[in-house]
Amino acid sequence: MYRSHVLVCGGTGCTSSGSQQIQDLLKAEIEKAGLSKEVSVVQTGCHGLCALGPIMIVYPEGTFYSMVKPEYIPEIVQEHLLKGRVVKKYVYEETIDNDEIKPLVETAFYKKQHRIALRNCGVINPENIDEYIGTRGYEALGKVLTEMTPEQVIDTILASGLRGRGGAGFPTGKKWQLARNLVQDGGQKYVCCNADEGDPGAFMDRSVLEGDPHVVLEAMAIAGYAIGASQGYIYVRAEYPIAVERLTIAIGQAREYGLLGKNIFGTDFSFDIDLRLGAGAFVCGEETALMTSIEGNRGEPRPRPPFPAVKGLFARPTILNNVETWANIPQIILNGPEWFASMGTEKSKGTKVFALGGKINNTGLVEIPMGTTLREVIEEIGGGIPNGKKFKAAQTGGPSGGCIPVEHFDVPIDYDNLIAIGSMMGSGGLIVMDEDNCMVDIAKFFLQFTVDESCGKCTPCRIGTKRLLEMLEKVTDGKATLEDLDKMEELCNYIKANALCGLGQTAPNPVLSTLRYFRDEYVAHVVDKKCPAGVCKSLLTYTIDPETCIGCGMCAKGCPADAISRTDYVAPGHKLASMSIDPAKCVKCGACMGTCKFKAISKK
Amino acid sequence: MKSLAELKAIRDKVQGQVGLRSEAEAGTRVVVGMATCGIASGARPVLNALSEAVQEKKLDNVAVVQTGCIGLCQYEPIVEVIEQGKEKVTYIKMTPEKAMEVVNRHLIGGHVVTEYTIQSALK
């Protein structure tokens, strides 16, 4: 038994900033100080504050060390772990209040969060099944198998109001009910987990798998019991190596304990889970394409109906839920549906995990009750926009979603409200944009993504998105007309109505929502041939102010295109003639602006 | 594993340890002086004994933490028990055995072990 636990984050974010080295050093220093029997080092999953990685927390005090460097370790071990003196200079500054250290839960980042799906992330060692059991893990499965009928399980999930966290928000209990009741021939049914997270900037599923893999296994077994399935598949991207490794370990441990396999808890229920690795195609996150891929075929969607609940994997009834949805299930069984339904808004219950990214101070992972406003998420939890810039919009839902402008800052976030303002919940990516982002360029970015990732099966998506992208390029090149904007809108609506799968149907959303809220920016590109945010290269001109330029020539040295030369003009008070840029040669790379120390160069 | 009882056995074994990582404010703080003076006079075995006992007995409400020099070096090892809304109790010249008594009589029983407090030494 240890008197102190030092938790080091082993999520992908902190691993890439060097947490493995920190962990090794820590163990060596603890050994050296003779504390190995008193202090234990625990590798955990993501704690959420990825911007501050590598993160290290010392319990029982709960001291939060952020951006830990290897050279801090000897001092922290000697001072804190041995002598009990917190090394304040390395502690996350938000937790220091008047020289006193306050608990992490009282900082702005954590105060408004409510962790259900992320409950164990950053708390337990994901590679140790005992720690999961120590936080009431597998108790829900035990309860379901020994005390509840499958119908009661489904009724509980229905009553909780849980909706799919993958984006579309279909009621989870309803899905289970259909899979249980529609086909009753006693044959094989399947339970699948969609861990093919592909939205740019989204990483909540990865964090759950890395930080708490057993919760997914337990929840899938519960669903297996509820619908009468004995086999589950987790479809996870091969680009998530840490998640794959921890899932493999978790499945092995669960089988060893008999929590997966035959006759679980001595009942006649048997259930096993296998992993299937995806090769990174975005379309495989779409349910029918995902199942086609598990079957060993090329990942392409197929028309629905028949829905997977009737005819899914290997043409058998199948339920498919997202990682975050699964992570809520055991808690609902243990705490009751009323508990879950007490959180959130009328039609969206519980919490939602968001991956904050873009122009925001606290980049990372947050879990908030449904109904929290965008303002609270960005200004309070996210810590606002860096460098005092002005908020312009937030993008939710990735390539299927849309932008939320500042006038909807106080709309409570839930499934229906986001749809009403032209965006969607999506899997939970939340990218913040400030005044330096061009909205046309953002729409172009997401459309480029869809064009790259379109599987090509249906024409509206394969050709429609490509044509749409070309029209957007016309806008950013300053060659479009106002008529083109109307044509774009028409094409968007055509794709929406005719594409085969959810990805194609939602692909025009980034264009439609920016057209709806930021039409003036499009018009500026088309009519004035200007990019208001100064992003679209073709519409920019770099100029040197001859009065400010001192003629040092640094810009000319840095110019890759040889576009800068000396003029004959010597400004009053200057010794050297000023420089000027030849617009015909300029490639608009902006290198000169970076080298000028006198702010003589501007772009318009 | 073939029964819920086995699951519960594992849970009970681990729960106290994982409970150490609770973010909730502990109601009672047990503070052990772990400066050079404290360590030299044997504060470490005391700290370990306290920490183990609290985890073993699942006293979720109690946090065992360290601190630096309290300033009464001649009385080390010193253990302070701080309960919300009550006056701080300072135990002096502690040993692991005395610490166990404090756990049983004070933390669990609710009665200050007066014979080990600094007040009784000063009398």
Side-chain angles (χ1 to χ4, degrees):
Chain A
M1 223 170 242
Y2 299 97
R3 66 167 162 85
S4 176
H5 294 187
V6 183
L7 274 52
V8 183
C9 176
T12 292
C14 284
T15 302
S16 58
S17 55
S19 70
Q20 187 59 46
Q21 195 197 354
I22 300 285
Q23 203 185 326
D24 296 343
L25 248 169
L26 198 58
K27 282 184 181 153
E29 285 292 326
I30 286 174
E31 176 84 48
K32 217 163 46 176
L35 293 171
S36 334
K37 288 212 173 73
E38 297 173 25
V39 180
S40 124
V41 177
V42 185
Q43 172 175 294
T44 69
C46 183
H47 222 281
L49 258 179
C50 305
L52 295 174
I55 283 166
M56 187 173 121
I57 308 177
V58 183
Y59 285 107
E61 298 94 322
T63 314
F64 190 95
Y65 291 106
S66 61
M67 292 173 140
V68 179
K69 294 203 173 69
E71 54 267 33
Y72 299 174
I73 299 297
E75 194 178 346
I76 292 176
V77 171
Q78 282 299 323
E79 283 295 304
H80 188 162
L81 300 181
L82 185 63
K83 296 180 191 156
R85 287 192 289 240
V86 173
V87 190
K88 279 197 187 137
K89 58 185 168 183
Y90 304 144
V91 170
Y92 176 37
E93 56 202 18
E94 284 278 314
T95 62
I96 299 184
D97 192 16
N98 286 329
D99 225 36
E100 287 280 309
I101 294 192
K102 60 178 181 185
L104 200 54
V105 282
E106 281 174 26
T107 59
F109 183 73
Y110 287 105
K111 202 158 52 186
K112 291 223 163 157
Q113 291 198 45
H114 190 90
R115 299 189 149 215
I116 298 171
L118 298 177
R119 159 184 95 96
N120 282 331
C121 286
V123 179
I124 64 166
N125 178 351
E127 297 182 10
N128 183 344
I129 188 172
D130 285 357
E131 293 209 351
Y132 179 64
I133 294 174
T135 58
R136 298 185 76 191
Y138 289 106
E139 211 177 297
L141 178 60
K143 180 177 171 187
V144 162
L145 294 185
T146 55
E147 293 171 20
M148 295 168 84
T149 64
E151 287 79 12
Q152 283 172 328
V153 176
I154 290 172
D155 287 343
T156 305
I157 302 300
L158 272 174
S160 74
L162 176 67
R163 294 170 67 174
R165 297 296 192 244
F170 191 80
T172 306
K174 189 92 194 146
K175 202 184 248 185
W176 294 17
Q177 198 174 40
L178 293 173
R180 173 165 187 84
N181 296 334
L182 285 182
V183 180
Q184 288 177 321
D185 56 6
Q188 177 66 311
K189 293 182 183 180
Y190 295 101
V191 173
C192 291
C193 169
N194 185 347
D196 192 66
E197 186 175 46
D199 290 5
F203 54 94
M204 36 277 145
D205 295 351
R206 189 190 74 207
S207 297
V208 171
L209 294 174
E210 287 176 358
D212 196 13
H214 284 286
V215 74
V216 176
L217 308 185
E218 183 183 4
M220 286 175 72
I222 292 171
Y225 175 71
I227 69 159
S230 63
Q231 177 65 46
Y233 289 101
I234 300 177
Y235 189 85
V236 56
R237 309 170 76 78
E239 293 106 316
Y240 283 178
I242 301 179
V244 171
E245 190 193 323
R246 297 210 176 128
L247 275 173
T248 311
I249 294 172
I251 291 174
Q253 288 174 339
R255 282 181 186 153
E256 204 177 298
Y257 271 32
L259 295 166
L260 286 178
K262 294 221 174 312
N263 303 105
I264 299 170
F265 287 119
T267 63
D268 53 10
F269 174 67
S270 301
F271 190 77
D272 205 359
I273 296 176
D274 284 303
L275 288 186
R276 287 292 179 271
L277 303 194
F282 183 64
V283 73
C284 287
E286 196 279 336
E287 59 177 10
T288 59
L290 186 150
M291 290 184 297
T292 313
S293 179
I294 292 182
E295 287 164 2
N297 301 314
R298 180 186 165 128
E300 282 180 342
R302 56 166 180 72
R304 295 178 304 184
F307 285 94
V310 181
K311 206 173 170 188
L313 189 58
F314 302 113
R316 298 294 310 161
T318 304
I319 53 170
L320 187 89
N321 284 121
N322 164 269
V323 173
E324 193 189 329
T325 315
W326 290 122
N328 282 297
I329 302 285
Q331 291 299 303
I332 293 174
I333 301 284
L334 286 179
N335 299 324
E338 303 79 18
W339 163 81
F340 192 80
S342 70
M343 289 172 286
T345 62
E346 197 197 331
K347 286 184 178 162
S348 305
K349 301 298 185 190
T351 59
K352 178 78 192 85
V353 182
F354 283 98
L356 293 185
K359 307 279 178 66
I360 189 151
N361 279 315
N362 295 335
T363 315
L365 210 59
V366 300
E367 182 168 353
I368 47 162
M370 295 275 188
T372 308
T373 64
L374 197 58
R375 183 187 299 279
E376 288 170 285
V377 175
I378 291 172
E379 289 186 350
E380 295 177 35
I381 300 171
I385 318 273
N387 306 322
K389 297 272 182 180
K390 235 174 73 195
F391 171 84
K392 186 187 253 179
Q395 214 277 351
T396 65
S400 310
C403 292
I404 307 170
V406 71
E407 61 255 39
H408 293 309
F409 223 33
D410 289 309
V411 171
I413 299 175
D414 70 9
Y415 290 100
D416 310 289
N417 282 343
L418 286 184
I419 297 277
I421 57 176
S423 184
M424 69 184 273
M425 185 73 86
S427 55
L430 204 156
I431 301 168
V432 181
M433 284 162 283
D434 69 6
E435 50 193 306
D436 290 343
N437 288 102
C438 165
M439 299 316 283
V440 187
D441 188 62
I442 295 285
K444 205 171 80 175
F445 168 81
F446 281 111
L447 215 70
Q448 179 70 57
F449 181 86
T450 328
V451 168
D452 288 344
E453 292 291 345
S454 172
C455 78
K457 187 169 178 174
C458 73
T459 319
C461 178
R462 182 182 69 244
I463 298 174
T465 56
K466 177 75 181 155
R467 291 289 96 85
L468 194 55
L469 179 65
E470 285 165 2
M471 288 163 122
L472 279 173
E473 279 165 352
K474 237 172 120 180
V475 175
T476 57
D477 285 344
K479 292 174 187 153
T481 60
L482 283 175
E483 203 193 346
D484 285 326
L485 295 187
D486 297 333
K487 273 193 197 157
M488 262 167 64
E489 222 164 340
E490 197 189 327
L491 180 56
C492 284
N493 290 325
Y494 178 82
I495 296 172
K496 252 178 121 84
N498 293 292
L500 173 64
C501 80
L503 298 186
Q505 287 155 15
T506 55
N509 281 356
V511 182
L512 280 174
S513 86
T514 47
L515 265 174
R516 174 169 165 190
Y517 293 116
F518 299 97
R519 203 180 179 93
D520 52 332
E521 282 196 33
Y522 280 86
V523 171
H525 284 74
V526 172
V527 179
D528 311 333
K529 310 288 176 206
K530 290 268 180 255
C531 174
V535 173
C536 299
K537 274 187 188 174
S538 317
L539 302 178
L540 288 180
T541 34
Y542 285 83
T543 45
I544 298 177
D545 175 17
E547 305 303 324
T548 327
C549 176
I550 66 148
C552 68
M554 286 306 287
C555 51
K557 276 189 190 147
C559 178
D562 254 341
I564 307 182
S565 56
R566 197 171 292 281
T567 60
D568 309 328
Y569 176 75
V570 182
H574 289 173
K575 288 182 183 142
L576 295 166
S578 69
M579 312 295 289
S580 95
I581 301 172
D582 177 0
K585 283 187 187 168
C586 177
V587 294
K588 296 161 188 172
C589 67
C592 50
M593 258 181 109
T595 58
C596 183
K597 291 191 179 121
F598 306 93
K599 297 202 169 86
I601 305 177
S602 59
K603 62 175 177 182
K604 263 185 250 159
Chain B
M1 184 172 319
K2 283 292 161 224
S3 69
L4 280 175
E6 283 172 74
L7 184 77
K8 192 168 176 302
I10 299 176
R11 194 185 78 213
D12 288 347
K13 201 181 85 200
V14 195
Q15 205 163 30
Q17 293 170 38
V18 180
L20 193 67
R21 301 173 204 158
S22 158
E23 277 289 344
E25 281 266 2
T28 305
R29 282 159 47 88
V30 179
V31 184
V32 184
M34 281 283 284
T36 307
C37 48
I39 295 172
S41 48
R44 260 172 73 185
V46 172
L47 172 67
N48 287 326
L50 281 169
S51 175
E52 270 177 37
V54 165
Q55 290 177 50
E56 234 159 51
K57 295 179 195 293
K58 301 207 182 62
L59 306 179
D60 296 337
N61 201 26
V62 180
V64 180
V65 295
Q66 321 170 55
T67 188
C69 183
I70 296 170
L72 296 161
C73 306
Q74 71 271 35
Y75 293 120
E76 292 281 0
I78 293 175
V79 173
E80 295 176 326
V81 177
I82 304 159
E83 285 172 282
Q84 266 172 2
K86 288 190 193 169
E87 200 150 317
K88 178 171 77 181
V89 180
T90 306
Y91 293 109
I92 57 165
K93 297 196 174 167
M94 293 302 279
T95 62
E97 294 73 31
K98 287 183 182 172
M100 290 314 292
E101 265 187 73
V102 170
V103 170
N104 290 324
R105 285 166 61 189
H106 187 168
L107 299 181
I108 299 174
H111 300 290
V112 176
V113 190
T114 40
E115 56 265 42
Y116 301 151
T117 59
I118 189 160
Q119 284 82 358
S120 71
L122 293 176
K123 262 181 205 159

